[in-house]
Amino acid sequence: MFESAPILAHINHREKSAWSAFGAQGSVSAKPFASVIKNFYMTNPISRASVTMAKCTEEILPHTVQEAAE
């Protein structure tokens, strides 16, 4: 294993990371953060393919069920 990943042989030793500049200058809004996910129950392909989940979601969140594009 140490041949494949020599860093693992150095127990109790921290390697220094190479840091560089990141991000961009910009302004900050006072507007609160909001989730972009409108329908959490359909965020995975298994739920989207399920007729039962579609019916349950329509009960909880009317008018949000969409056809899966997969």
Side-chain angles (χ1 to χ4, degrees):
M1 184 182 342
F2 298 144
E3 290 176 14
S4 297
I7 189 70
L8 298 177
H10 305 291
I11 297 174
N12 293 328
H13 176 75
R14 292 184 304 212
E15 288 289 320
K16 295 232 180 216
S17 296
W19 288 89
S20 60
F22 61 93
Q25 292 291 328
S27 60
V28 178
S29 171
K31 185 176 162 182
F33 290 111
S35 177
V36 296
I37 299 173
K38 303 298 180 211
N39 184 351
F40 169 79
Y41 304 103
M42 292 290 182
T43 56
N44 67 71
I46 295 171
S47 292
R48 287 192 299 270
S50 169
V51 174
T52 302
M53 277 302 295
K55 289 178 183 176
C56 291
T57 303
E58 184 62 29
E59 289 284 323
I60 296 169
L61 304 169
H63 310 296
T64 61
V65 176
Q66 297 176 353
E67 293 290 323
E70 297 149 23

Short mmCIF file of all heavy atoms in Angstrom, two decimals:
data_model
loop_
_atom_site.label_atom_id
_atom_site.label_comp_id
_atom_site.label_asym_id
_atom_site.label_seq_id
_atom_site.Cartn_x
_atom_site.Cartn_y
_atom_site.Cartn_z
N MET A 1 0.82 -1.17 0.00
CA MET A 1 0.00 0.00 0.00
C MET A 1 0.87 1.26 0.00
O MET A 1 0.53 2.24 -0.64
CB MET A 1 -0.92 -0.01 1.22
CG MET A 1 -1.87 1.16 1.23
SD MET A 1 -3.03 1.36 2.61
CE MET A 1 -3.13 -0.17 3.40
N PHE A 2 1.97 1.21 0.74
CA PHE A 2 2.83 2.39 0.81
C PHE A 2 3.48 2.70 -0.53
O PHE A 2 3.82 3.84 -0.81
CB PHE A 2 3.89 2.21 1.89
CG PHE A 2 3.32 2.07 3.27
CD1 PHE A 2 3.91 1.23 4.18
CD2 PHE A 2 2.20 2.78 3.66
CE1 PHE A 2 3.40 1.09 5.46
CE2 PHE A 2 1.68 2.65 4.93
CZ PHE A 2 2.26 1.80 5.83
N GLU A 3 3.68 1.67 -1.37
CA GLU A 3 4.22 1.92 -2.71
C GLU A 3 3.23 2.70 -3.56
O GLU A 3 3.61 3.58 -4.32
CB GLU A 3 4.57 0.60 -3.39
CG GLU A 3 5.76 -0.10 -2.78
CD GLU A 3 6.03 -1.46 -3.42
OE1 GLU A 3 5.47 -1.74 -4.50
OE2 GLU A 3 6.78 -2.24 -2.82
N SER A 4 1.96 2.36 -3.42
CA SER A 4 0.91 3.06 -4.19
C SER A 4 0.64 4.45 -3.66
O SER A 4 0.35 5.38 -4.42
CB SER A 4 -0.38 2.25 -4.16
OG SER A 4 -0.20 1.01 -4.78
N ALA A 5 0.68 4.60 -2.33
CA ALA A 5 0.38 5.89 -1.70
C ALA A 5 1.41 6.15 -0.60
O ALA A 5 1.16 5.90 0.58
CB ALA A 5 -1.03 5.89 -1.13
N PRO A 6 2.60 6.63 -0.96
CA PRO A 6 3.67 6.84 0.02
C PRO A 6 3.28 7.74 1.19
O PRO A 6 3.83 7.59 2.28
CB PRO A 6 4.80 7.46 -0.79
CG PRO A 6 4.47 7.22 -2.21
CD PRO A 6 3.00 7.00 -2.29
N ILE A 7 2.35 8.63 0.99
CA ILE A 7 1.94 9.54 2.05
C ILE A 7 1.40 8.78 3.26
O ILE A 7 1.50 9.23 4.39
CB ILE A 7 0.91 10.58 1.53
CG1 ILE A 7 0.64 11.69 2.55
CG2 ILE A 7 -0.39 9.93 1.15
CD1 ILE A 7 1.77 12.61 2.74
N LEU A 8 0.84 7.59 3.04
CA LEU A 8 0.28 6.80 4.13
C LEU A 8 1.35 6.25 5.07
O LEU A 8 1.04 5.85 6.19
CB LEU A 8 -0.58 5.66 3.57
CG LEU A 8 -1.79 6.08 2.75
CD1 LEU A 8 -2.50 4.86 2.19
CD2 LEU A 8 -2.74 6.92 3.58
N ALA A 9 2.58 6.22 4.63
CA ALA A 9 3.66 5.70 5.47
C ALA A 9 4.10 6.70 6.53
O ALA A 9 4.77 6.35 7.49
CB ALA A 9 4.86 5.32 4.60
N HIS A 10 3.72 7.95 6.39
CA HIS A 10 4.13 9.01 7.31
C HIS A 10 3.07 9.22 8.39
O HIS A 10 2.25 10.13 8.31
CB HIS A 10 4.38 10.31 6.55
CG HIS A 10 5.36 10.17 5.44
ND1 HIS A 10 6.70 9.95 5.65
CD2 HIS A 10 5.19 10.20 4.10
CE1 HIS A 10 7.32 9.87 4.50
NE2 HIS A 10 6.43 10.01 3.54
N ILE A 11 3.08 8.38 9.41
CA ILE A 11 2.11 8.47 10.50
C ILE A 11 2.45 9.69 11.36
O ILE A 11 3.61 9.99 11.61
CB ILE A 11 2.12 7.19 11.34
CG1 ILE A 11 1.68 6.03 10.44
CG2 ILE A 11 1.23 7.31 12.56
CD1 ILE A 11 1.79 4.68 11.11
N ASN A 12 1.42 10.38 11.83
CA ASN A 12 1.55 11.58 12.66
C ASN A 12 2.33 12.70 11.96
O ASN A 12 3.06 13.45 12.60
CB ASN A 12 2.20 11.26 14.02
CG ASN A 12 1.32 10.39 14.87
OD1 ASN A 12 0.10 10.50 14.80
ND2 ASN A 12 1.92 9.54 15.66
N HIS A 13 2.18 12.78 10.66
CA HIS A 13 2.85 13.83 9.88
C HIS A 13 1.81 14.46 8.96
O HIS A 13 1.05 13.77 8.32
CB HIS A 13 3.98 13.24 9.05
CG HIS A 13 4.64 14.24 8.17
ND1 HIS A 13 5.52 15.19 8.65
CD2 HIS A 13 4.55 14.45 6.84
CE1 HIS A 13 5.93 15.94 7.64
NE2 HIS A 13 5.35 15.50 6.53
N ARG A 14 1.79 15.79 8.94
CA ARG A 14 0.87 16.49 8.06
C ARG A 14 1.65 17.09 6.90
O ARG A 14 2.67 17.75 7.11
CB ARG A 14 0.17 17.61 8.81
CG ARG A 14 -0.79 17.11 9.86
CD ARG A 14 -1.50 18.26 10.49
NE ARG A 14 -0.50 19.20 11.03
CZ ARG A 14 -0.67 19.94 12.09
NH1 ARG A 14 -1.80 19.90 12.74
NH2 ARG A 14 0.27 20.74 12.52
N GLU A 15 1.16 16.86 5.72
CA GLU A 15 1.76 17.46 4.53
C GLU A 15 1.22 18.87 4.36
O GLU A 15 0.04 19.12 4.59
CB GLU A 15 1.41 16.64 3.28
CG GLU A 15 2.12 15.32 3.21
CD GLU A 15 3.61 15.48 2.91
OE1 GLU A 15 3.97 16.33 2.09
OE2 GLU A 15 4.39 14.75 3.54
N LYS A 16 2.07 19.77 3.97
CA LYS A 16 1.63 21.14 3.69
C LYS A 16 0.89 21.14 2.36
O LYS A 16 1.30 20.50 1.40
CB LYS A 16 2.81 22.08 3.62
CG LYS A 16 3.52 22.24 4.93
CD LYS A 16 3.65 23.68 5.26
CE LYS A 16 4.38 23.78 6.59
NZ LYS A 16 3.90 24.85 7.36
N SER A 17 -0.21 21.87 2.32
CA SER A 17 -0.99 21.99 1.10
C SER A 17 -0.57 23.24 0.35
O SER A 17 -0.23 24.26 0.94
CB SER A 17 -2.48 22.09 1.41
OG SER A 17 -2.92 20.91 2.02
N ALA A 18 -0.60 23.14 -0.95
CA ALA A 18 -0.30 24.30 -1.79
C ALA A 18 -1.58 25.13 -1.92
O ALA A 18 -2.57 24.67 -2.48
CB ALA A 18 0.18 23.85 -3.15
N TRP A 19 -1.57 26.32 -1.34
CA TRP A 19 -2.74 27.20 -1.41
C TRP A 19 -2.54 28.22 -2.52
O TRP A 19 -1.45 28.68 -2.78
CB TRP A 19 -2.93 27.94 -0.09
CG TRP A 19 -3.42 27.03 0.99
CD1 TRP A 19 -2.65 26.30 1.85
CD2 TRP A 19 -4.76 26.76 1.32
NE1 TRP A 19 -3.45 25.58 2.70
CE2 TRP A 19 -4.76 25.85 2.39
CE3 TRP A 19 -5.98 27.19 0.82
CZ2 TRP A 19 -5.93 25.36 2.97
CZ3 TRP A 19 -7.14 26.71 1.40
CH2 TRP A 19 -7.11 25.81 2.45
N SER A 20 -3.63 28.57 -3.12
CA SER A 20 -3.60 29.61 -4.15
C SER A 20 -4.83 30.50 -3.97
O SER A 20 -5.75 30.16 -3.24
CB SER A 20 -3.59 28.99 -5.55
OG SER A 20 -4.74 28.20 -5.75
N ALA A 21 -4.84 31.59 -4.66
CA ALA A 21 -5.96 32.53 -4.57
C ALA A 21 -7.20 31.89 -5.20
O ALA A 21 -7.11 31.13 -6.16
CB ALA A 21 -5.62 33.83 -5.28
N PHE A 22 -8.35 32.18 -4.62
CA PHE A 22 -9.60 31.67 -5.17
C PHE A 22 -10.72 32.66 -4.87
O PHE A 22 -10.56 33.57 -4.07
CB PHE A 22 -9.95 30.29 -4.59
CG PHE A 22 -10.16 30.28 -3.11
CD1 PHE A 22 -11.42 30.44 -2.57
CD2 PHE A 22 -9.08 30.12 -2.25
CE1 PHE A 22 -11.61 30.43 -1.20
CE2 PHE A 22 -9.26 30.10 -0.89
CZ PHE A 22 -10.53 30.26 -0.35
N GLY A 23 -11.83 32.49 -5.54
CA GLY A 23 -12.97 33.37 -5.34
C GLY A 23 -12.90 34.59 -6.24
O GLY A 23 -12.00 34.73 -7.07
N ALA A 24 -13.85 35.44 -6.07
CA ALA A 24 -13.91 36.66 -6.87
C ALA A 24 -14.51 37.78 -6.03
O ALA A 24 -15.30 37.53 -5.12
CB ALA A 24 -14.77 36.43 -8.11
N GLN A 25 -14.12 38.98 -6.34
CA GLN A 25 -14.67 40.14 -5.66
C GLN A 25 -16.12 40.31 -6.08
O GLN A 25 -16.50 40.01 -7.21
CB GLN A 25 -13.88 41.39 -6.03
CG GLN A 25 -12.47 41.40 -5.50
CD GLN A 25 -12.44 41.54 -3.99
OE1 GLN A 25 -13.29 42.18 -3.38
NE2 GLN A 25 -11.45 40.91 -3.38
N GLY A 26 -16.95 40.76 -5.18
CA GLY A 26 -18.35 40.99 -5.50
C GLY A 26 -19.05 41.63 -4.32
O GLY A 26 -18.46 41.83 -3.26
N SER A 27 -20.29 41.92 -4.52
CA SER A 27 -21.06 42.54 -3.44
C SER A 27 -21.89 41.46 -2.74
O SER A 27 -22.20 40.42 -3.31
CB SER A 27 -21.97 43.63 -4.00
OG SER A 27 -22.86 43.06 -4.94
N VAL A 28 -22.25 41.76 -1.51
CA VAL A 28 -23.06 40.84 -0.71
C VAL A 28 -24.45 41.43 -0.57
O VAL A 28 -24.60 42.60 -0.23
CB VAL A 28 -22.42 40.63 0.68
CG1 VAL A 28 -23.29 39.72 1.54
CG2 VAL A 28 -21.02 40.07 0.54
N SER A 29 -25.44 40.61 -0.84
CA SER A 29 -26.82 41.06 -0.75
C SER A 29 -27.37 40.80 0.66
O SER A 29 -26.97 39.85 1.33
CB SER A 29 -27.66 40.31 -1.78
OG SER A 29 -29.03 40.55 -1.58
N ALA A 30 -28.30 41.59 1.09
CA ALA A 30 -28.97 41.37 2.37
C ALA A 30 -30.10 40.36 2.24
O ALA A 30 -30.70 39.96 3.23
CB ALA A 30 -29.52 42.70 2.90
N LYS A 31 -30.38 39.95 1.02
CA LYS A 31 -31.44 38.98 0.75
C LYS A 31 -31.09 37.63 1.39
O LYS A 31 -29.97 37.14 1.24
CB LYS A 31 -31.59 38.84 -0.76
CG LYS A 31 -32.71 37.99 -1.22
CD LYS A 31 -32.76 38.05 -2.75
CE LYS A 31 -33.57 36.91 -3.30
NZ LYS A 31 -33.59 36.92 -4.75
N PRO A 32 -32.01 37.00 2.12
CA PRO A 32 -31.70 35.73 2.78
C PRO A 32 -31.50 34.59 1.77
O PRO A 32 -32.04 34.62 0.66
CB PRO A 32 -32.91 35.47 3.67
CG PRO A 32 -34.00 36.28 3.09
CD PRO A 32 -33.36 37.44 2.40
N PHE A 33 -30.71 33.60 2.17
CA PHE A 33 -30.52 32.43 1.33
C PHE A 33 -31.82 31.65 1.23
O PHE A 33 -32.59 31.58 2.17
CB PHE A 33 -29.44 31.51 1.91
CG PHE A 33 -28.06 32.08 1.83
CD1 PHE A 33 -27.39 32.46 2.98
CD2 PHE A 33 -27.42 32.22 0.61
CE1 PHE A 33 -26.11 32.97 2.92
CE2 PHE A 33 -26.15 32.73 0.54
CZ PHE A 33 -25.49 33.12 1.69
N ALA A 34 -32.04 31.03 0.09
CA ALA A 34 -33.22 30.20 -0.11
C ALA A 34 -32.80 28.95 -0.87
O ALA A 34 -31.89 28.99 -1.70
CB ALA A 34 -34.28 30.97 -0.89
N SER A 35 -33.45 27.87 -0.59
CA SER A 35 -33.15 26.61 -1.28
C SER A 35 -33.63 26.67 -2.72
O SER A 35 -34.72 27.19 -3.01
CB SER A 35 -33.82 25.44 -0.57
OG SER A 35 -33.58 24.25 -1.27
N VAL A 36 -32.85 26.14 -3.62
CA VAL A 36 -33.26 26.08 -5.03
C VAL A 36 -34.07 24.82 -5.30
O VAL A 36 -34.66 24.68 -6.36
CB VAL A 36 -32.04 26.14 -5.98
CG1 VAL A 36 -31.33 27.46 -5.86
CG2 VAL A 36 -31.10 24.99 -5.72
N ILE A 37 -34.12 23.91 -4.34
CA ILE A 37 -34.87 22.67 -4.49
C ILE A 37 -36.32 22.93 -4.10
O ILE A 37 -36.62 23.22 -2.95
CB ILE A 37 -34.27 21.55 -3.63
CG1 ILE A 37 -32.84 21.28 -4.07
CG2 ILE A 37 -35.12 20.30 -3.70
CD1 ILE A 37 -32.09 20.32 -3.17
N LYS A 38 -37.20 22.83 -5.06
CA LYS A 38 -38.62 23.08 -4.80
C LYS A 38 -39.35 21.81 -4.37
O LYS A 38 -40.35 21.86 -3.69
CB LYS A 38 -39.30 23.65 -6.05
CG LYS A 38 -38.66 24.92 -6.56
CD LYS A 38 -38.73 26.04 -5.56
CE LYS A 38 -38.09 27.29 -6.11
NZ LYS A 38 -37.49 28.13 -5.13
N ASN A 39 -38.85 20.65 -4.81
CA ASN A 39 -39.51 19.38 -4.50
C ASN A 39 -38.44 18.36 -4.08
O ASN A 39 -37.94 17.60 -4.89
CB ASN A 39 -40.29 18.88 -5.71
CG ASN A 39 -41.07 17.61 -5.42
OD1 ASN A 39 -40.90 17.01 -4.37
ND2 ASN A 39 -41.90 17.23 -6.35
N PHE A 40 -38.12 18.35 -2.80
CA PHE A 40 -37.09 17.46 -2.26
C PHE A 40 -37.40 15.99 -2.54
O PHE A 40 -36.51 15.19 -2.77
CB PHE A 40 -36.97 17.68 -0.75
CG PHE A 40 -36.15 16.65 -0.06
CD1 PHE A 40 -34.78 16.70 -0.11
CD2 PHE A 40 -36.75 15.60 0.63
CE1 PHE A 40 -33.99 15.74 0.52
CE2 PHE A 40 -35.98 14.64 1.27
CZ PHE A 40 -34.60 14.71 1.20
N TYR A 41 -38.67 15.65 -2.55
CA TYR A 41 -39.07 14.25 -2.68
C TYR A 41 -38.78 13.66 -4.05
O TYR A 41 -38.83 12.45 -4.23
CB TYR A 41 -40.56 14.10 -2.35
CG TYR A 41 -40.88 14.64 -0.99
CD1 TYR A 41 -41.49 15.87 -0.83
CD2 TYR A 41 -40.51 13.94 0.15
CE1 TYR A 41 -41.76 16.38 0.42
CE2 TYR A 41 -40.76 14.45 1.41
CZ TYR A 41 -41.38 15.67 1.54
OH TYR A 41 -41.63 16.17 2.78
N MET A 42 -38.49 14.48 -5.02
CA MET A 42 -38.20 14.00 -6.37
C MET A 42 -36.79 14.35 -6.80
O MET A 42 -36.52 14.59 -7.98
CB MET A 42 -39.21 14.57 -7.37
CG MET A 42 -40.60 14.07 -7.18
SD MET A 42 -40.69 12.34 -7.63
CE MET A 42 -42.41 12.02 -7.37
N THR A 43 -35.85 14.37 -5.88
CA THR A 43 -34.47 14.74 -6.21
C THR A 43 -33.62 13.56 -6.63
O THR A 43 -32.45 13.75 -6.95
CB THR A 43 -33.79 15.44 -5.02
OG1 THR A 43 -33.85 14.59 -3.88
CG2 THR A 43 -34.44 16.79 -4.72
N ASN A 44 -34.15 12.35 -6.66
CA ASN A 44 -33.37 11.21 -7.10
C ASN A 44 -34.15 10.41 -8.13
O ASN A 44 -35.39 10.44 -8.15
CB ASN A 44 -32.93 10.35 -5.92
CG ASN A 44 -34.08 9.66 -5.25
OD1 ASN A 44 -34.68 8.75 -5.80
ND2 ASN A 44 -34.41 10.11 -4.04
N PRO A 45 -33.47 9.69 -9.02
CA PRO A 45 -34.15 9.00 -10.11
C PRO A 45 -35.10 7.89 -9.65
O PRO A 45 -36.09 7.61 -10.33
CB PRO A 45 -33.02 8.43 -10.96
CG PRO A 45 -31.78 8.59 -10.19
CD PRO A 45 -32.02 9.59 -9.12
N ILE A 46 -34.84 7.26 -8.53
CA ILE A 46 -35.72 6.20 -8.05
C ILE A 46 -37.08 6.78 -7.67
O ILE A 46 -38.13 6.25 -8.05
CB ILE A 46 -35.08 5.44 -6.87
CG1 ILE A 46 -33.82 4.72 -7.34
CG2 ILE A 46 -36.07 4.47 -6.25
CD1 ILE A 46 -32.98 4.13 -6.25
N SER A 47 -37.08 7.89 -6.94
CA SER A 47 -38.34 8.53 -6.58
C SER A 47 -39.07 9.06 -7.80
O SER A 47 -40.29 8.96 -7.89
CB SER A 47 -38.10 9.68 -5.60
OG SER A 47 -37.66 9.18 -4.37
N ARG A 48 -38.34 9.63 -8.74
CA ARG A 48 -38.98 10.17 -9.94
C ARG A 48 -39.60 9.07 -10.79
O ARG A 48 -40.58 9.31 -11.49
CB ARG A 48 -37.97 10.97 -10.76
CG ARG A 48 -37.61 12.30 -10.13
CD ARG A 48 -36.85 13.19 -11.10
NE ARG A 48 -35.61 12.62 -11.53
CZ ARG A 48 -34.43 12.78 -10.93
NH1 ARG A 48 -34.36 13.51 -9.84
NH2 ARG A 48 -33.35 12.23 -11.41
N ALA A 49 -39.06 7.86 -10.75
CA ALA A 49 -39.59 6.76 -11.54
C ALA A 49 -40.75 6.05 -10.84
O ALA A 49 -41.41 5.21 -11.44
CB ALA A 49 -38.48 5.76 -11.84
N SER A 50 -41.00 6.38 -9.59
CA SER A 50 -42.02 5.69 -8.79
C SER A 50 -43.39 6.36 -8.94
O SER A 50 -43.55 7.54 -8.62
CB SER A 50 -41.60 5.69 -7.33
OG SER A 50 -42.67 5.27 -6.51
N VAL A 51 -44.37 5.59 -9.38
CA VAL A 51 -45.74 6.10 -9.47
C VAL A 51 -46.26 6.43 -8.08
O VAL A 51 -46.93 7.44 -7.86
CB VAL A 51 -46.65 5.06 -10.17
CG1 VAL A 51 -48.10 5.51 -10.14
CG2 VAL A 51 -46.18 4.82 -11.59
N THR A 52 -45.94 5.58 -7.11
CA THR A 52 -46.38 5.80 -5.73
C THR A 52 -45.82 7.10 -5.18
O THR A 52 -46.54 7.89 -4.56
CB THR A 52 -45.96 4.62 -4.84
OG1 THR A 52 -46.51 3.42 -5.37
CG2 THR A 52 -46.42 4.83 -3.41
N MET A 53 -44.51 7.35 -5.39
CA MET A 53 -43.91 8.60 -4.90
C MET A 53 -44.52 9.80 -5.61
O MET A 53 -44.70 10.86 -5.00
CB MET A 53 -42.39 8.59 -5.11
CG MET A 53 -41.64 7.88 -4.01
SD MET A 53 -41.94 8.55 -2.37
CE MET A 53 -41.23 10.17 -2.49
N ALA A 54 -44.84 9.66 -6.88
CA ALA A 54 -45.48 10.76 -7.60
C ALA A 54 -46.83 11.10 -6.98
O ALA A 54 -47.16 12.27 -6.79
CB ALA A 54 -45.65 10.40 -9.07
N LYS A 55 -47.60 10.06 -6.64
CA LYS A 55 -48.91 10.30 -6.01
C LYS A 55 -48.74 10.93 -4.62
O LYS A 55 -49.47 11.85 -4.27
CB LYS A 55 -49.67 8.99 -5.90
CG LYS A 55 -50.16 8.47 -7.23
CD LYS A 55 -50.86 7.13 -7.07
CE LYS A 55 -51.29 6.58 -8.42
NZ LYS A 55 -51.88 5.24 -8.29
N CYS A 56 -47.79 10.42 -3.84
CA CYS A 56 -47.55 10.97 -2.50
C CYS A 56 -47.10 12.43 -2.58
O CYS A 56 -47.55 13.28 -1.81
CB CYS A 56 -46.50 10.14 -1.77
SG CYS A 56 -47.05 8.49 -1.32
N THR A 57 -46.21 12.70 -3.50
CA THR A 57 -45.70 14.06 -3.64
C THR A 57 -46.81 15.01 -4.09
O THR A 57 -46.87 16.15 -3.64
CB THR A 57 -44.53 14.09 -4.63
OG1 THR A 57 -43.53 13.21 -4.16
CG2 THR A 57 -43.94 15.48 -4.74
N GLU A 58 -47.68 14.54 -4.97
CA GLU A 58 -48.79 15.38 -5.41
C GLU A 58 -49.72 15.71 -4.23
O GLU A 58 -50.27 16.80 -4.18
CB GLU A 58 -49.58 14.69 -6.53
CG GLU A 58 -50.68 15.53 -7.12
CD GLU A 58 -50.21 16.80 -7.79
OE1 GLU A 58 -49.08 16.84 -8.30
OE2 GLU A 58 -50.98 17.78 -7.82
N GLU A 59 -49.84 14.79 -3.28
CA GLU A 59 -50.65 15.06 -2.08
C GLU A 59 -50.00 16.12 -1.20
O GLU A 59 -50.67 16.97 -0.64
CB GLU A 59 -50.82 13.77 -1.26
CG GLU A 59 -51.73 12.75 -1.89
CD GLU A 59 -53.19 13.11 -1.75
OE1 GLU A 59 -53.58 13.66 -0.71
OE2 GLU A 59 -53.93 12.85 -2.71
N ILE A 60 -48.67 16.04 -1.08
CA ILE A 60 -47.93 16.95 -0.20
C ILE A 60 -47.69 18.30 -0.87
O ILE A 60 -47.87 19.36 -0.27
CB ILE A 60 -46.58 16.33 0.22
CG1 ILE A 60 -46.82 15.06 1.03
CG2 ILE A 60 -45.75 17.32 1.01
CD1 ILE A 60 -45.58 14.24 1.27
N LEU A 61 -47.24 18.26 -2.11
CA LEU A 61 -46.88 19.48 -2.85
C LEU A 61 -47.65 19.51 -4.18
O LEU A 61 -47.11 19.14 -5.21
CB LEU A 61 -45.38 19.49 -3.15
CG LEU A 61 -44.45 19.36 -1.95
CD1 LEU A 61 -43.03 19.11 -2.41
CD2 LEU A 61 -44.50 20.62 -1.12
N PRO A 62 -48.89 19.92 -4.17
CA PRO A 62 -49.68 19.92 -5.41
C PRO A 62 -49.01 20.73 -6.53
O PRO A 62 -48.36 21.74 -6.29
CB PRO A 62 -50.99 20.57 -5.01
CG PRO A 62 -51.05 20.47 -3.52
CD PRO A 62 -49.63 20.46 -3.05
N HIS A 63 -49.14 20.24 -7.74
CA HIS A 63 -48.66 20.91 -8.96
C HIS A 63 -47.15 21.00 -9.06
O HIS A 63 -46.63 21.91 -9.68
CB HIS A 63 -49.27 22.31 -9.09
CG HIS A 63 -50.75 22.33 -8.92
ND1 HIS A 63 -51.61 21.68 -9.77
CD2 HIS A 63 -51.53 22.86 -7.95
CE1 HIS A 63 -52.85 21.85 -9.37
NE2 HIS A 63 -52.83 22.55 -8.25
N THR A 64 -46.42 20.06 -8.45
CA THR A 64 -44.96 20.09 -8.58
C THR A 64 -44.41 18.84 -9.23
O THR A 64 -43.24 18.80 -9.55
CB THR A 64 -44.28 20.26 -7.21
OG1 THR A 64 -44.63 19.16 -6.39
CG2 THR A 64 -44.63 21.56 -6.55
N VAL A 65 -45.22 17.80 -9.43
CA VAL A 65 -44.73 16.55 -10.01
C VAL A 65 -44.48 16.77 -11.48
O VAL A 65 -45.31 17.31 -12.20
CB VAL A 65 -45.74 15.40 -9.80
CG1 VAL A 65 -45.27 14.14 -10.48
CG2 VAL A 65 -45.95 15.16 -8.32
N GLN A 66 -43.28 16.35 -11.94
CA GLN A 66 -42.93 16.48 -13.35
C GLN A 66 -42.51 15.12 -13.87
O GLN A 66 -42.11 14.25 -13.13
CB GLN A 66 -41.75 17.45 -13.51
CG GLN A 66 -42.10 18.85 -13.06
CD GLN A 66 -40.89 19.76 -13.15
OE1 GLN A 66 -39.80 19.32 -13.42
NE2 GLN A 66 -41.11 21.03 -12.90
N GLU A 67 -42.60 14.95 -15.17
CA GLU A 67 -42.17 13.72 -15.79
C GLU A 67 -40.66 13.62 -15.70
O GLU A 67 -39.95 14.59 -15.88
CB GLU A 67 -42.58 13.69 -17.27
CG GLU A 67 -44.08 13.62 -17.48
CD GLU A 67 -44.65 12.26 -17.08
OE1 GLU A 67 -43.96 11.25 -17.31
OE2 GLU A 67 -45.76 12.23 -16.55
N ALA A 68 -40.16 12.39 -15.44
CA ALA A 68 -38.73 12.18 -15.40
C ALA A 68 -38.15 12.25 -16.81
O ALA A 68 -38.76 11.77 -17.75
CB ALA A 68 -38.43 10.83 -14.77
N ALA A 69 -36.98 12.84 -16.92
CA ALA A 69 -36.35 12.99 -18.22
C ALA A 69 -35.34 11.87 -18.48
O ALA A 69 -34.57 11.92 -19.41
CB ALA A 69 -35.65 14.34 -18.31
N GLU A 70 -35.36 10.86 -17.63
CA GLU A 70 -34.36 9.80 -17.75
C GLU A 70 -34.90 8.62 -18.48
O GLU A 70 -35.96 8.23 -18.46
CB GLU A 70 -33.87 9.40 -16.37
CG GLU A 70 -33.18 10.55 -15.72
CD GLU A 70 -33.33 10.53 -14.22
OE1 GLU A 70 -33.57 9.47 -13.64
OE2 GLU A 70 -33.24 11.59 -13.63
#
